[in-house]
């Protein structure tokens, strides 16, 4: 049963990831990316990591996607659609995609890591407590620096997307 759900979520994740790349409308790409993030969080739940699933939803679906949609709405979407695709530029990308897909299949089929073993039982709340203690005690400064970098990126995206007056 779990393997069926895993294959379903993985297949939908791959399809939505392809939709992100192939969609001509940037808004459709952003919505497909949000769906892909949700599928990945469902995979985290199946793997027994609910904390990672919640972080995936809060950080990526909640914050990053709002930023993406905000920037997309600030720019002229019609002009961006016309500039996005160059004629004849899809063939090298398609060849590279096929080669990387073949390489991934070969690596997965030859690897011993994907055997049918049972996952190790999670320790429950201890794992979350250890993560939060480590994050806010040992790595507080890098955590705050990452917050400042993300805030700077947000302000920079707003400044770049803003139209000049005059």
């Amino acid at each position: 049963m779990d393997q069926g759900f895993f294959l379903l979520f993985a297949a939908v994740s791959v399809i939505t990831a392809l939709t992100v790349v192939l969609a001509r409308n940037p808004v459709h790409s952003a919505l497909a990316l949000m769906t892909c993030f949700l599928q990945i969080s469902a995979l985290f739940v199946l793997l027994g990591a609910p904390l990672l699933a919640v972080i995936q939803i809060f950080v990526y679906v909640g914050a990053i996607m709002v930023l993406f949609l905000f920037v997309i709405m600030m720019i002229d979407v019609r002009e961006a659609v016309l500039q996005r695709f160059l004629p004849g530029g899809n063939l090298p990308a398609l060849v590279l995609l096929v080669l990387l897909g073949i390489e991934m299949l070969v690596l997965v089929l030859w690897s011993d890591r994907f055997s049918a073993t049972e996952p190790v039982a999670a320790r429950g709340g201890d794992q979350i407590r250890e993560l939060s203690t480590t994050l806010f005690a040992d790595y507080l400064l890098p955590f705050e620096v990452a917050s400042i970098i993300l805030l700077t990126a947000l302000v920079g995206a707003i400044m770049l997307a803003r139209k000049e007056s005059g």
Side-chain angles (χ1 to χ4, degrees), residues 17-150:
L18 285 173
T19 305
V20 170
V21 177
L22 297 176
R24 293 195 179 270
N25 190 342
V27 176
H28 294 162
S29 292
L31 291 175
L33 185 62
M34 182 181 68
T35 306
C36 185
F37 286 156
L38 288 172
Q39 299 302 316
I40 291 171
S41 68
L43 288 174
F44 283 141
V45 169
L46 285 177
L47 292 173
L51 176 68
L52 288 177
V54 170
I55 289 173
Q56 174 83 17
I57 290 173
F58 284 164
V59 172
Y60 287 105
V61 177
I64 302 297
M65 287 310 302
V66 168
L67 177 66
F68 280 4
L69 287 174
F70 181 72
V71 170
I72 287 171
M73 294 303 168
M74 292 293 286
I75 62 174
D76 188 11
V77 176
R78 292 184 193 100
E79 180 182 332
V81 169
L82 293 176
Q83 294 176 356
R84 184 170 176 184
F85 291 99
L86 299 175
N90 293 338
L91 184 63
L94 184 62
V95 170
L96 183 64
L97 177 71
V98 169
L99 287 175
L100 288 175
I102 291 171
E103 179 185 8
M104 183 182 68
L105 283 175
V106 167
L107 290 174
V108 166
L109 292 176
W110 284 353
S111 177
D112 293 333
R113 290 186 176 200
F114 296 103
S115 61
T117 59
E118 291 295 320
V120 178
R123 294 181 292 176
D126 293 337
Q127 188 179 25
I128 297 170
R129 186 173 295 115
E130 288 176 18
L131 175 67
S132 60
T133 302
T134 304
L135 183 63
F136 293 116
D138 299 337
Y139 295 104
L140 182 62
L141 181 63
F143 181 75
E144 292 298 325
V145 168
S147 300
I148 291 171
I149 290 172
L150 287 173

